[in-house]
Amino acid sequence: MPESKATSDAVVLDAQNIVVSYPGHPPIVAVNDVSIRVHAGETVALVGESGSGKSSLARAAVGIERLAGGSARFRGEEITPLRMRRRPKRLTGIQMVFQDPSTSLNPRRRVGDQIQDGIATALARGAEGSRVEEWLERVGLPTASATKFPHQFSGGQKQRIAIARALAARPQLLVADEPISALDASTQTSVAALMRDLVSEAGAGMLFISHDLAVVRRIADRTFVMFSGRVLESGPTDQLWGDPQHPYTQALLAAIPEPDGAGRIPAAPEAAERALWADVPAVMR
């Protein structure tokens, strides 16, 4: 586990008392009064089971989902909702990598042109320029890939292209929603570490969402554990892994298979046990 990479007290994302709800009778509360900060040079991870509210929180924090309550600020300024019009230049310092690259890449444009969009975004904010080939090489793709279209790549390769495009914009805040789930196991950690290192070198921050707890343990400075729309435990990653306090965190870590050669699958928690998790007070360190 790396030591904290926060290089200053600058807060790039300050999300306070976030509430996200969806229509229903009654409305479905996906995120319930969650606060989270990401500092410059820091990687903060969100973990939890599917449906815990991780992606809703991330999307609300960057203005994709409308807030039902709370506030989100980027470098001290309010994050306005993302609409059809082009986003204010100052907010292009926020970039997001989505879980499914097939929906975020334009199928009609060559991938080199799409990465060039990221470079142009960086230049428009006065950031340093770069080359398409540089980013392709950094994510492990041949430079000749620039002339191809998204459909000519596998799912994992398309995700690398999406990551390259986001990093080419030289973000001050990178929000990565399950960015490595489409990658093969041999490259997941290396690509996640690359994202962490590049944003850290630039003095940016990263909010990293993943089901892969092994990767989170290796790259995150702090970890927030979500369940049923709430954060049940948070703190420095090494402390959370070494001494989990909340029963849900304990169950989550206990579910990681051990490479002992016995082929045993961890037992799933009972329904009665799950029902009690939300009633246990949250642990914040």
Side-chain angles (χ1 to χ4, degrees), residues 28-267:
I28 300 168
V29 180
V31 181
N32 186 7
D33 194 24
V34 172
S35 298
I36 189 169
R37 285 192 177 100
V38 180
H39 293 80
E42 180 183 42
T43 294
V44 174
L46 279 177
V47 301
E49 60 191 58
S50 296
S52 60
K54 305 184 304 298
S55 294
S56 293
L57 173 59
R59 292 167 65 89
V62 301
I64 297 176
E65 297 285 359
R66 184 174 297 276
L67 296 177
S71 64
R73 304 182 75 83
F74 169 63
R75 297 176 66 88
E77 298 186 53
E78 182 184 3
I79 297 175
T80 53
L82 184 64
R83 297 189 175 91
M84 294 298 293
R85 292 185 178 182
R86 187 181 295 259
R87 207 163 208 190
K89 189 181 298 182
R90 64 180 178 83
L91 291 181
T92 63
I94 303 172
Q95 293 292 318
M96 189 162 185
V97 178
F98 297 91
Q99 182 175 3
D100 183 4
S102 297
T103 61
S104 60
L105 294 175
N106 187 332
R108 299 177 181 273
R109 299 183 66 214
R110 300 181 192 275
V111 301
D113 293 336
Q114 298 190 57
I115 296 173
Q116 185 62 47
D117 290 343
I119 296 171
T121 296
L123 290 170
R125 290 200 325 274
E128 183 181 353
S130 56
R131 297 180 302 110
V132 169
E133 293 77 12
E134 170 189 346
W135 295 108
L136 288 171
E137 289 176 347
R138 287 194 173 191
V139 297
L141 292 174
T143 56
S145 302
T147 61
K148 297 181 179 180
F149 292 89
H151 74 270
Q152 296 176 275
F153 297 90
S154 69
Q157 289 173 323
K158 284 189 279 191
Q159 187 63 296
R160 294 189 193 201
I161 294 164
I163 291 169
R165 180 182 61 183
L167 292 175
R170 299 198 184 279
Q172 295 155 320
L173 171 65
L174 180 65
V175 178
D177 187 0
E178 295 283 0
I180 59 172
S181 60
L183 302 179
D184 57 89
S186 63
T187 59
Q188 285 183 341
T189 301
S190 61
V191 171
L194 169 70
M195 296 169 67
R196 178 204 63 199
D197 292 345
L198 290 176
V199 297
S200 180
E201 289 168 11
M206 179 163 67
L207 182 61
F208 187 86
I209 300 167
S210 181
H211 284 100
D212 193 324
L213 299 179
V215 172
V216 166
R217 185 178 186 181
R218 295 190 64 178
I219 74 164
D221 300 298
R222 290 187 296 129
T223 298
F224 285 69
V225 180
M226 289 193 69
F227 174 74
S228 192
R230 296 174 51 226
V231 171
L232 297 187
E233 186 167 359
S234 67
T237 301
D238 53 353
Q239 292 183 21
L240 191 143
W241 250 257
D243 185 24
Q245 297 294 305
H246 197 280
Y248 176 62
T249 308
Q250 294 168 359
L252 200 63
L253 297 182
I256 303 175
E258 295 184 11
D260 56 6
R264 289 173 293 196
I265 299 176

